[in-house]
């Protein structure tokens, strides 16, 4: 809570040549919803699937309340990236909470690199009753 983060979408077959790089949306983690992602304009024929992203002290909840059911296209990576706006390593662990989620992610869909958390949604079905819940354990880190 109270940490500055940015959140956005990313899609690629080859990480060195992304198909879609979404805008970065900064926010301070609080008790409210941090992001309401919507279309940002197509890149290579791709755009954002509207979603609500709620970052809490120990989890991230992703929902799709106002869109008809569909599935994310399958790519090497097609999902979201959360950045903590600091340079120290912050994630002790991150994994999908399968009991609270309505759709299962692939086994290796959630991973972190330094201060970034990646959530790969490739092939996941979404719609108004979908909840994707990611439990996170974030290490203490100086904010300065």
């Amino acid at each position: 809570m109270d940490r500055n983060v940015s959140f956005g979408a990313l899609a690629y077959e080859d990480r060195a040549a992304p198909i879609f790089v979404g805008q970065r949306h900064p926010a301070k983690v609080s008790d409210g919803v941090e992001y309401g992602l919507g279309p940002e304009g197509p890149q290579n024929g791709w755009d954002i699937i509207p979603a609500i992203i709620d970052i809490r002290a120990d989890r991230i909840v992703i929902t799709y309340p106002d869109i008809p059911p569909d599935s994310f296209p399958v790519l090497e990576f097609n999902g979201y990236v959360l950045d903590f706006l600091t340079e120290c390593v912050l994630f002790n662990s991150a994994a999908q909470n399968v009991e609270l989620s309505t759709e299962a992610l692939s086994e290796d869909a959630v991973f972190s690199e330094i201060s970034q958390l990646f959530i790969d949604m490739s092939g996941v079905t979404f719609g108004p009753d979908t909840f994707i819940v990611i439990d996170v354990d974030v290490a203490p880190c100086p904010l300065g």
Side-chain angles (χ1 to χ4, degrees), residues 104-126:
L105 302 178
S106 66
E107 187 175 309
D108 58 350
V110 179
F111 60 95
S112 61
E113 294 178 359
I114 308 175
S115 61
Q116 293 183 309
L117 178 68
F118 294 80
I119 305 168
D120 187 5
M121 302 293 288
S122 289
V124 172
T125 300
F126 60 85

Side-chain angles (χ1 to χ4, degrees), residues 34-54:
E34 280 73 23
Y35 307 103
L37 297 180
E40 297 177 356
Q43 295 176 32
N44 302 309
W46 294 71
D47 203 348
I48 296 289
I49 295 169
I52 303 293
I53 313 299
D54 184 4

Side-chain angles (χ1 to χ4, degrees), residues 5-121:
V5 296
S6 72
F7 195 87
L10 176 66
Y12 60 80
E13 282 292 352
D14 174 0
R15 193 165 181 178
I19 297 167
F20 184 89
V21 178
Q23 298 171 12
R24 303 307 299 165
H25 302 277
K28 182 176 269 194
V29 177
S30 68
D31 289 330
V33 170
E34 280 73 23
Y35 307 103
L37 297 180
E40 297 177 356
Q43 295 176 32
N44 302 309
W46 294 71
D47 203 348
I48 296 289
I49 295 169
I52 303 293
I53 313 299
D54 184 4
I55 302 170
R56 301 177 184 173
D58 60 355
R59 70 178 35 131
I60 299 166
V61 179
I62 305 168
T63 57
Y64 303 88
D66 297 323
I67 59 176
D70 203 346
S71 294
F72 280 85
V74 176
L75 295 171
E76 178 66 27
F77 184 88
N78 184 6
Y80 307 112
V81 180
L82 171 74
D83 295 278
F84 273 93
L85 301 178
T86 183
E87 293 193 15
C88 63
V89 176
L90 294 167
F91 293 100
N92 288 328
S93 65
Q96 182 181 20
N97 183 318
V98 294
E99 292 179 9
L100 296 179
S101 297
T102 58
E103 295 291 324
L105 302 178
S106 66
E107 187 175 309
D108 58 350
V110 179
F111 60 95
S112 61
E113 294 178 359
I114 308 175
S115 61
Q116 293 183 309
L117 178 68
F118 294 80
I119 305 168
D120 187 5
M121 302 293 288

